[in-house]
């Protein structure tokens, strides 16, 4: 009977169940009643169909699959007529359930925002939320109702190309930014036509791939998983994230797609997740390569048993689940539950009422979207060095040089399917539009270019310019999925070009657009100022102009430590102290005499050639202006119970010559615990915007629950004892502004 109602009028069914008319009745919510009504009347085959996600193929084939009820979701199809035909076939045939249209909308749909790593550098979650909202509005206007974003993988290894797609190395920053992205995509109400479902990926540990090689095995012990890799995913669940994606990696021998501990025990049973989990691309089938499943049927059994609801493109569920159920290897209830999880999200998305793509051209590249992308790019730029060359003061003649100075495709960054380079504003265009006298001599045509034949022209041009702006870094294709590198120096002949430009004797402003921290150690001396813009997106050129001109003061802070060289990796700030912590006064390579006798040298944990610390620390970034911190206070020094709260207040004054923003960062150290704890952990931050001369009182709260950690018996505990808490402008000790001790009783 229910089936007939859906067939005739899905709306009628919604009204019926909403007022208690569904067949389950009782104390169930309208949503539960609806989901039960729909799924309980489906055949096993129809339920399996919902668990199947397909990629675009011939429209006839897709239409057929949808009409057979064998397509729960589709990805990579963007032709609107095709989507309409597919949706029509799905809703007009049993079981009359709309197809969920999905796409990788990672840092913008048409209007491209900085890559997520760049967005993290803004230290401004509101920008991330707003950018994701805009992405949702634009994507939904082409019928997309589900994005595979945000990526919440903690990345401590910049060789891993996918570091570009996440929010860096820190669990707290990633949790805050990830939750903001989820809220942006999903809006206040998932059923709003402009909302799209978010997907927290890749669940879990994918960023810890051995040696930074994509897809590689991870070896994350349970406590580290709990304390570092899982928190952003938990924050996403708390933010109401509709879906999760299982990751490609096998952690300590168990591929995530077949890992019941994470997909069911933790995600559903501990965190109460009610949405659905999709596999990564063919990752059900890849369990065969892992040597974890004998064949596709075995893989299907392992995945569904672990709690994986939807199979992305492997067809394992479609081809084998029915047999597995009839052979008694998989209980039908498992399939029913997975189907309910998927139908629930479709219900929440309002798909049963509005299933056809609603198309609107006006919202794409809307002026306010471009404005937001510009603002985000400005806030994401991190100034790493400035000897006074920035902002440009009396520079009239600019030599613009380097492979990314006019690279409309590459400045957009990785994972851009829909943003068009014709809309990109490059540095060349923007500088000219701003009225600068620009001499453009790229000297290198793309980032890997080794052809130095134009260097002499560039050197000559530099001599007759007031200032040189070099824009280099990485092409977009050098980071992202499967684009890992073992050498993170500037590619091609870029370093040599910087040296040539420096020798010309004019100030060299080095602007880097890249998908990851690059090892620019040897380039620093050739630059008077360094502005790290990551891949800044559509409005990168305008952002650059506003930054170098001084209209906007740089305020980004590094979301990941920058290594001195690739051999120093991993070098992340929140490490443990070790039994032999580095003192900072270690003997380095140059200080070791020839024929030195056997010695343990500094006897601490460091490298002879790079020392201990990174090139630039997590949380670091300069400004054109200066800030004074004063009047520090803490609400008390003894705390008890996880509902207690640490409140730190202080005053910040802009004492320099420019308007600007500083990111006040709160770090905590648990001095003695039942397991060794990191020497510092970010637990709070606030970006404070101050006009020249302005002063503001700031309060940052850290709930005591933030001091909890997973201890010896895999239980989250708040341990009594001493903690240090401090306010800083980066994770480096030199940037500590105030430090105090507290006691948890
Ligand atoms: C990636 C995912 C992505 C999926 C769908 C996979 O290769 O790992 O991040 O969402 O493809 O395109």
């Amino acid at each position: 009977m229910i089936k007939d109602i859906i067939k005739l009028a899905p709306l009628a069914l919604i009204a019926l169940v909403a007022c208690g008319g569904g067949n389950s009745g009782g104390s169930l919510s309208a949503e539960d009643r609806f989901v039960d009504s729909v799924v309980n009347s489906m055949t096993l085959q129809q339920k399996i169909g919902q668990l199947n996600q397909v990629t675009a193929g011939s429209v006839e084939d897709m239409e057929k699959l949808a009409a057979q009820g064998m397509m729960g979701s589709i990805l990579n199809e963007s032709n609107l007529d095709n989507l309409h035909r597919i949706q029509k076939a799905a809703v007009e045939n049993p079981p009359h359930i709309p197809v969920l249209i999905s796409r990788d909308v990672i840092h913008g749909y048409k209007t491209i925002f900085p890559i997520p790593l760049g967005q993290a550098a803004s230290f401004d979650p509101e920008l991330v939320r707003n950018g994701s909202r805009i992405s949702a509005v634009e994507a939904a206007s082409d019928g997309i109702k589900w994005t595979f974003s945000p990526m919440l993988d903690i990345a401590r290894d910049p060789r891993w190309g996918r570091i570009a797609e996440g929010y860096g190395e820190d669990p707290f920053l990633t949790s805050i930014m990830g939750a903001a992205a989820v809220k942006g995509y999903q809006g206040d109400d998932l059923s709003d036509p402009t909302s799209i479902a978010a997907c927290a990926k890749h669940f879990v540990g994918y960023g810890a791939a051995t040696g930074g090689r994509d897809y590689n095995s991870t070896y994350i012990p349970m406590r580290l998983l709990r304390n570092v890799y899982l928190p952003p995913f938990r924050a996403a669940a708390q933010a109401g994230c509709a879906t999760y994606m299982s990751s490609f990696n096998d952690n300590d021998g168990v591929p995530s797609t077949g890992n019941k501990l994470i997909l069911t025990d933790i995600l559903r049973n501990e965190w109460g997740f009610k949405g659905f989990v999709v596999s990564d691309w063919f990752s059900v089938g890849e369990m065969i390569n892992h040597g974890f499943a004998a064949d596709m049927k075995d893989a299907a059994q392992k995945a569904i048993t672990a709690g994986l609801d939807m199979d992305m493109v492997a067809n394992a569920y479609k081809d084998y689940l029915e047999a597995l159920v009839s052979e008694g290897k998989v209980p039908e209830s498992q399939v029913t539950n997975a189907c309910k999880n998927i139908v629930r999200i479709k219900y929440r998305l309002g798909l049963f009422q509005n299933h056809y793509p609603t198309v609107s051209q006006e919202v794409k590249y809307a002026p306010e979207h471009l404005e937001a992308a510009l603002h985000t790019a400005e806030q994401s730029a991190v100034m790493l060095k400035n000897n006074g060359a920035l902002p440009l003061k009396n520079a009239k003649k600019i030599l613009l040089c380097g492979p990314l100075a006019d690279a409309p495709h590459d400045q957009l960054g990785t994972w851009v399917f829909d943003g068009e380079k014709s809309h990109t504003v490059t540095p060349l265009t923007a500088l000219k539009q701003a009225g600068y006298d620009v001499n453009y001599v790229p000297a290198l045509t793309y980032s890997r270019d080794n052809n130095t034949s134009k260097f002499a022209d560039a050197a000559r041009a530099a001599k007759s310019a007031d200032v040189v702006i070099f824009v280099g870094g990485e092409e977009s294709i050098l980071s992202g999925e499967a684009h890992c590198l073992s050498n993170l120096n500037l590619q091609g002949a870029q370093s040599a070009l910087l040296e040539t430009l420096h020798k010309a004797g004019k100030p060299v402003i080095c602007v880097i657009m890249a998908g990851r921290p690059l090892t620019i150690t040897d380039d620093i001396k050739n630059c008077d100022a360094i502005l790290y813009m990551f891949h800044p997106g559509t409005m990168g050129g305008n952002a650059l102009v506003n930054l170098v001109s001084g209209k906007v003061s740089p305020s980004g802070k590094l979301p990941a430590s920058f290594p001195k060289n690739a051999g120093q990796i991993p070098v992340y700030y929140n490490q443990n102290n070790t039994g032999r912590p580095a003192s900072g006064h270690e003997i380095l390579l140059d200080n070791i005499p020839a024929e030195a006798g056997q010695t343990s040298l500094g006897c601490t944990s460091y490298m002879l050639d790079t020392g201990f610390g990174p090139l630039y620390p997590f949380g670091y970034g300069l400004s054109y202006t200066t800030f004074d911190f004063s009047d520090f206070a803490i609400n008390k020094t003894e705390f008890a119970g996880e509902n207690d709260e640490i409140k730190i207040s202080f005053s910040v004054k802009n004492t320099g010559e420019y308007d600007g923003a500083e990111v006040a960062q709160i770090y905590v150290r648990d001095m003695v615990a039942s397991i060794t704890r990191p020497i510092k952990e970010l637990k709070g931050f606030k970006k404070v915007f101050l006009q020249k001369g302005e002063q503001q009182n700031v309060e940052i709260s850290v709930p005591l629950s933030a001091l909890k950690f997973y201890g010896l018996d895999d239980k989250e505990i708040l341990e009594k004892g001493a903690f240090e808490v401090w306010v800083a402008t980066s994770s480096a000790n030199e940037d500590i502004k105030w430090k105090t001790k507290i006691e948890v009783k």
Side-chain angles (χ1 to χ4, degrees):
M1 180 265 216
I2 287 294
K3 252 193 297 179
D4 293 339
I5 295 174
I6 303 171
K7 184 174 170 189
L8 292 170
L11 269 171
L13 178 72
I14 288 175
L16 185 68
V17 294
C19 63
N23 59 3
S24 298
S27 61
L28 291 180
S29 65
E31 173 183 296
D32 285 338
R33 287 200 302 275
F34 179 83
V35 171
D36 285 353
S37 311
V38 171
V39 179
N40 291 344
S41 61
M42 285 164 76
T43 64
L44 174 61
Q45 184 71 24
Q46 288 169 342
K47 287 185 253 187
I48 292 170
Q50 288 304 303
L51 277 48
N52 191 38
Q53 187 184 44
V54 299
T55 187
S58 89
V59 66
E60 290 74 25
D61 288 351
M62 291 186 294
E63 228 178 351
K64 207 162 126 202
L65 214 54
Q68 290 164 346
M70 291 313 291
M71 187 191 285
S73 172
I74 187 165
L75 80 159
N76 290 341
E77 176 54 79
S78 54
N79 180 296
L80 279 161
D81 291 337
N82 291 353
L83 287 172
H84 197 93
R85 280 171 65 177
I86 293 162
Q87 200 63 291
K88 191 166 186 301
V91 295
E92 290 188 352
N93 289 288
H96 309 285
I97 299 181
V99 171
L100 182 49
I101 299 165
S102 64
R103 196 158 180 80
D104 287 281
V105 179
I106 307 298
H107 51 109
Y109 180 64
K110 291 289 180 184
T111 303
I112 301 299
F113 287 77
I115 54 168
L117 189 64
Q119 292 185 38
S122 74
F123 272 70
D124 187 343
E126 180 49 27
L127 289 185
V128 174
R129 192 204 59 77
N130 192 39
S132 306
R133 183 91 286 273
I134 288 169
S135 306
V137 167
E138 291 193 357
S141 78
D142 270 351
I144 295 159
K145 291 306 285 175
W146 180 23
T147 177
F148 305 120
S149 175
M151 188 189 98
L152 303 177
D153 297 310
I154 297 299
R156 291 172 159 182
D157 192 334
R159 294 172 299 181
W160 188 54
R162 302 199 80 168
I163 191 173
E165 298 173 48
Y167 302 109
E169 75 183 28
D170 183 62
F172 181 75
L173 182 61
T174 303
S175 300
I176 298 284
M177 295 309 203
V182 168
K183 288 184 182 146
Y185 289 131
Q186 300 192 168
D188 295 333
D189 179 357
L190 209 49
S191 72
D192 187 284
T194 66
S195 291
I196 65 177
C199 181
K201 72 184 189 186
H202 305 86
F203 198 52
V204 59
Y206 182 45
T210 305
R213 291 187 291 274
D214 210 0
Y215 315 123
N216 226 282
S217 300
T218 59
Y219 297 93
I220 311 171
M222 200 55 196
R223 265 199 298 282
L224 191 65
L225 197 70
R226 290 284 201 182
N227 289 325
V228 172
Y229 292 88
L230 282 170
F233 288 94
R234 180 153 83 164
Q238 283 161 355
C241 191
T243 74
Y244 278 62
M245 183 187 290
S246 69
S247 57
F248 284 127
N249 58 301
D250 58 324
N251 186 43
D252 201 12
V254 187
S256 298
T257 301
N259 191 336
K260 178 171 172 295
L261 177 67
I262 61 157
L263 300 186
T264 299
D265 300 351
I266 294 179
L267 181 60
R268 288 199 187 276
N269 300 344
E270 268 184 42
W271 299 348
F273 175 66
K274 292 269 186 292
F276 72 88
V277 184
V278 65
S279 74
D280 203 342
W281 184 277
F282 204 78
S283 70
V284 175
E286 287 182 13
M287 289 200 287
I288 303 169
N289 285 348
H290 276 290
F292 191 75
D295 50 30
M296 207 51 119
K297 188 173 176 186
D298 190 25
Q301 183 181 344
K302 291 206 156 94
I304 192 91
T305 307
L308 191 278
D309 302 302
M310 186 181 276
D311 168 12
M312 186 190 282
V313 310
N315 285 328
Y317 284 2
K318 173 173 154 289
D319 294 344
Y320 297 104
L321 267 188
E322 197 166 10
L324 286 165
V325 170
S326 67
E327 289 162 21
K329 291 182 178 149
V330 170
E332 182 165 352
S333 60
Q334 186 97 41
V335 177
T336 305
N337 285 341
C339 183
K340 283 185 179 174
N341 294 334
I342 293 162
V343 169
R344 183 176 303 120
I345 295 305
K346 291 186 176 184
Y347 171 84
R348 286 185 189 171
L349 281 163
L351 276 188
F352 287 90
Q353 286 109 317
N354 305 309
H355 28 260
Y356 289 116
T358 43
V359 182
S360 148
Q361 290 311 325
E362 295 87 70
V363 300
K364 296 174 180 114
Y365 303 111
E368 62 274 22
H369 296 182
L370 295 173
E371 187 60 34
L374 167 63
H375 186 51
T376 308
E378 290 165 356
Q379 296 298 313
S380 299
V382 184
M383 188 161 69
L384 298 174
K385 175 181 177 178
N386 188 16
N387 66 8
L390 282 178
L392 302 176
K393 290 180 193 89
N394 301 316
K396 296 207 169 42
K397 293 173 74 180
I398 295 175
L399 166 64
L400 183 65
C401 204
L404 279 108
D406 192 31
H409 168 81
D410 287 312
Q411 80 176 50
L412 296 181
T414 185
W415 280 110
V416 173
F417 290 135
D418 303 288
E420 293 121 319
K421 70 174 185 176
S422 54
H423 288 258
T424 303
V425 184
T426 68
L428 176 63
T429 311
L431 281 164
K432 281 186 174 166
Q433 273 170 4
Y436 286 99
D437 176 358
V438 183
N439 182 13
Y440 176 51
V441 183
L444 294 169
T445 54
Y446 64 116
S447 74
R448 288 163 293 154
D449 192 353
N450 273 307
N451 181 351
T452 58
S453 62
K454 295 282 184 306
F455 280 23
D457 293 350
R460 252 192 316 277
K463 286 194 178 112
S464 56
D466 298 323
V467 66
V468 177
I469 300 183
F470 164 92
V471 189
E474 294 184 311
E475 293 144 79
S476 57
I477 196 63
L478 299 188
S479 63
E481 184 175 356
H483 291 89
C484 305
L485 287 167
S486 64
N487 181 342
L488 303 184
N489 293 347
L490 285 172
Q491 294 284 330
Q494 293 185 76
S495 292
L497 177 57
L498 274 171
E499 196 175 347
T500 306
L501 295 169
H502 175 67
K503 280 190 183 141
K506 297 295 168 65
V508 176
I509 316 287
C510 171
V511 179
I512 307 251
M513 296 182 174
R516 55 158 68 78
L518 292 174
T519 48
I520 51 171
T521 313
D522 295 335
D523 304 305
I524 297 172
K525 61 179 183 306
N526 295 321
C527 309
D528 293 276
I530 302 175
L531 205 52
Y532 214 91
M533 295 189 73
F534 302 92
H535 284 130
T538 307
M539 300 299 278
N542 307 62
L544 179 143
V545 167
N546 289 347
L547 289 160
V548 299
S549 67
K551 187 172 169 207
V552 174
S553 185
S555 61
K557 299 279 184 170
L558 295 181
S561 307
F562 271 43
K564 289 176 180 150
N565 61 31
Q568 200 191 17
I569 297 168
V571 57
Y572 50 91
Y573 86 94
N574 46 355
Q575 62 159 77
N576 290 354
N577 206 30
T578 81
R580 294 189 173 194
S583 67
H585 303 292
E586 279 71 31
I587 299 166
L588 296 179
L589 216 51
D590 291 345
N591 309 110
I592 304 174
E595 296 205 345
Q598 172 58 38
T599 162
S600 308
L601 295 171
C603 288
T604 68
S605 177
Y606 75 106
M607 279 173 174
L608 290 177
D609 50 354
T610 56
F612 168 71
L615 181 63
Y616 295 111
F618 172 85
Y620 173 82
L622 303 171
S623 170
Y624 294 153
T625 188
T626 46
F627 300 94
D628 254 18
F629 284 70
S630 62
D631 304 326
F632 293 98
I634 187 161
N635 54 338
K636 51 187 179 176
T637 53
E638 291 186 356
F639 297 83
E642 56 183 81
N643 294 326
D644 212 345
E645 218 174 350
I646 306 168
K647 290 184 182 166
I648 296 173
S649 56
F650 48 91
S651 178
V652 194
K653 183 169 186 188
N654 182 342
T655 49
E657 295 304 312
Y658 297 87
D659 297 349
E662 178 58 288
V663 179
Q665 303 164 36
I666 306 288
Y667 292 89
V668 168
R669 177 173 181 185
D670 187 345
M671 302 311 288
V672 181
S674 54
I675 58 166
T676 57
R677 301 287 297 134
I679 46 173
K680 49 191 98 167
E681 288 180 291
L682 184 73
K683 293 292 181 192
F685 61 85
K686 197 163 199 171
K687 189 162 191 173
V688 190
F689 292 86
L690 294 171
Q691 287 174 357
K692 182 179 158 185
E694 192 187 343
Q695 182 158 14
Q696 227 182 75
N697 293 328
V698 177
E699 185 178 274
I700 301 181
S701 295
V702 177
L704 221 60
S705 57
L707 307 186
K708 286 161 71 174
F709 62 87
Y710 281 86
L712 287 173
D713 53 0
D714 195 29
K715 292 257 155 48
E716 198 176 25
I717 40 171
L718 175 65
E719 277 193 358
K720 297 188 165 108
F723 289 76
E724 282 183 349
V725 183
W726 62 95
V727 181
T729 53
S730 92
S731 64
N733 289 346
E734 306 86 82
D735 291 326
I736 296 178
K737 300 291 171 193
W738 182 74
K739 193 172 198 169
T740 192
K741 286 189 169 36
I742 62 161
E743 192 77 20
V744 175
K745 292 282 184 190

